[in-house]
């Protein structure tokens, strides 16, 4: 697939995987709208992304919005379409995580995480869908997680939201394919992003023991995997051997992984 002059929207595009993917797409000639909550962070990201433009006439727009609020998500997507034109690719990278013990976390954290990660993605998909259906083509890329394939100790606020995205993607894949719309879902491993730094502040020691067994990826490497997956029309984009095996064999591997995780966690209980 040639990304030159394609119109792309990325939520959560001001940092982490979203920003790295935005930079790579712009370097390939794409027009871009990035959506995030903080305008200052958006402005900083835009300045960095401008430096890698392939053509001087490429458009790079920023829109500040909280996609977990339906009206904001709908209005912002509509504004992006009005400014940029019909959408060729929507990448849903906006997300939050707040690890902790289930019994200690306030209910508001569960509600907020589901609102951003799941509802924020769903609202934006509904916003772009009419134009994609009309033009009989488009690509929708949802960002899940390894925690969307297996439940991980300490991620009761986060993991279910990523499972929900997986279910949404699996349902939409078959429904939208006859309309010319390709759906993909990405399962990144831990990645060196501001979100991971924030997660580490509240991770229980048991969670750190589990997640610390794998070296984090760099966001630029995940971005490369996402772009390659889009080019190949992959439904599941699973960077690295571990994620590929987990994606393919998670049901078979789950008893072994649970045994291994339980052994790690038991060290903190004895």
């Amino acid at each position: 697939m040639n990304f030159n002059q394609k119109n792309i929207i990325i939520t959560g595009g001001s940092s982490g995987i979203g920003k790295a993917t935005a930079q790579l797409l712009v370097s390939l000639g794409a027009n871009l709208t990035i959506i995030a909550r903080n305008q200052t962070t958006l402005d900083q990201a835009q300045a960095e992304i401008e430096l890698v433009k392939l053509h001087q006439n490429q458009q790079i727009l920023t829109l500040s919005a909280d996609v977990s609020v339906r009206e904001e998500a709908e209005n912002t997507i509509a504004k992006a379409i009005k400014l940029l034109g019909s959408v060729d690719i929507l990448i849903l990278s906006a997300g939050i995580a707040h690890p902790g013990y289930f019994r200690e976390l306030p209910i508001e954290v569960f509600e907020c995480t589901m609102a951003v990660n799941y509802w924020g993605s769903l609202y934006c998909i509904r916003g772009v869908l009419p134009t994609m259906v009309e033009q009989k083509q488009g690509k929708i890329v949802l960002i899940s997680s390894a925690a969307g394939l297996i439940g991980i100790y300490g991620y009761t606020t986060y993991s279910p939201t990523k499972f929900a995205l997986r279910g949404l993607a699996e349902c939409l894949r078959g429904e939208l394919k006859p309309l010319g719309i390709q759906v993909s879902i990405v399962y990144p491993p831990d990645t060196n992003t501001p979100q991971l730094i924030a997660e580490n502040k509240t991770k229980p020691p048991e969670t750190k023991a589990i997640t610390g067994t794998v070296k984090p990826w760099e966001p630029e490497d995940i971005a490369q995997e996402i772009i390659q997956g889009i080019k190949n029309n992959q439904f599941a984009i699973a960077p690295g051997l571990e994620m590929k095996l987990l994606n393919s064999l998670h049901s078979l591997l789950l008893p072994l992984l649970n045994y291994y995780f339980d052994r790690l966690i038991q060290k903190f209980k004895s």
Side-chain angles (χ1 to χ4, degrees):
M1 178 182 182
N2 186 352
F3 294 99
N4 193 40
Q5 298 303 312
K6 295 294 185 183
N7 293 336
I8 300 172
I9 296 175
I10 302 181
T11 68
S14 65
S15 66
I17 292 172
K19 186 175 77 171
T21 306
Q23 287 176 305
L24 181 53
L25 286 166
V26 166
S27 74
L28 297 172
N31 299 313
L32 190 70
T33 300
I34 57 175
I35 299 170
R37 286 180 290 187
N38 187 293
Q39 188 61 54
T40 301
T41 309
L42 278 168
D43 292 341
Q44 293 170 348
Q46 184 179 23
E48 293 178 39
I49 294 167
E50 290 276 357
L51 297 175
V52 299
K53 287 201 304 189
L54 187 63
H55 312 295
Q56 285 305 309
N57 63 346
Q58 280 175 258
Q59 297 185 69
I60 302 169
L61 309 175
T62 64
L63 295 173
S64 175
D66 182 349
V67 295
S68 71
V69 179
R70 181 167 60 85
E71 293 78 7
E72 285 194 41
E74 291 173 346
N75 292 340
T76 304
I77 292 294
K79 186 175 181 180
I81 293 170
K82 184 177 180 180
L83 292 171
L84 200 61
S86 59
V87 181
D88 296 298
I89 303 173
L90 170 67
I91 300 175
L92 299 152
S93 188
I96 59 172
H98 188 103
Y101 295 113
F102 177 80
R103 63 190 182 276
E104 295 178 2
L105 289 164
I107 191 65
E108 290 80 9
V109 175
F110 291 88
E111 294 171 340
C112 181
T113 308
M114 182 62 78
V116 173
N117 296 358
Y118 178 75
W119 288 109
S121 297
L122 186 143
Y123 296 149
C124 292
I125 292 171
R126 287 176 61 90
V128 303
L129 204 53
T131 59
M132 287 188 174
V133 171
E134 184 178 352
Q135 65 200 18
K136 298 180 180 178
Q137 69 89 24
K139 293 180 182 289
I140 297 169
V141 182
L142 298 91
I143 309 294
S144 182
S145 166
L149 291 168
I150 57 168
I152 298 175
Y153 187 108
Y155 275 110
T156 52
T157 60
Y158 178 72
S159 188
T161 71
K162 296 300 186 175
F163 268 81
L165 288 179
R166 174 181 156 205
L168 179 62
E170 290 181 358
C171 293
L172 287 176
R173 185 204 64 79
E175 187 172 335
L176 299 183
K177 186 176 180 180
L179 304 176
I181 301 167
Q182 167 75 28
V183 175
S184 299
I185 184 159
V186 186
Y187 298 110
D190 270 354
T191 307
N192 281 323
T193 64
Q195 177 176 293
L196 184 63
I197 293 171
E199 287 177 46
N200 286 334
K201 294 177 181 178
T202 64
K203 273 183 185 175
E206 297 91 339
T207 310
K208 289 182 178 179
I210 292 169
T211 59
T213 59
V214 179
K215 182 182 177 181
W217 281 51
E218 295 303 320
E220 293 77 14
D221 296 325
I222 299 295
Q224 290 281 359
E225 294 278 341
I226 291 171
I227 299 308
Q228 193 59 48
I230 293 173
K231 286 181 178 179
N232 295 338
N233 290 322
Q234 289 175 237
F235 171 66
I237 302 172
L241 179 61
E242 292 89 351
M243 287 302 101
K244 286 181 172 60
L245 289 173
L246 193 58
N247 176 53
S248 300
L249 304 171
H250 55 86
S251 294
L252 294 174
L253 293 173
L254 187 59
L256 290 174
L257 289 170
N258 281 342
Y259 174 78
Y260 174 62
F261 293 159
D262 287 348
R263 292 289 297 272
L264 284 176
I265 293 163
Q266 188 59 39
K267 295 178 182 179
F268 295 90
K269 306 302 180 184
S270 58

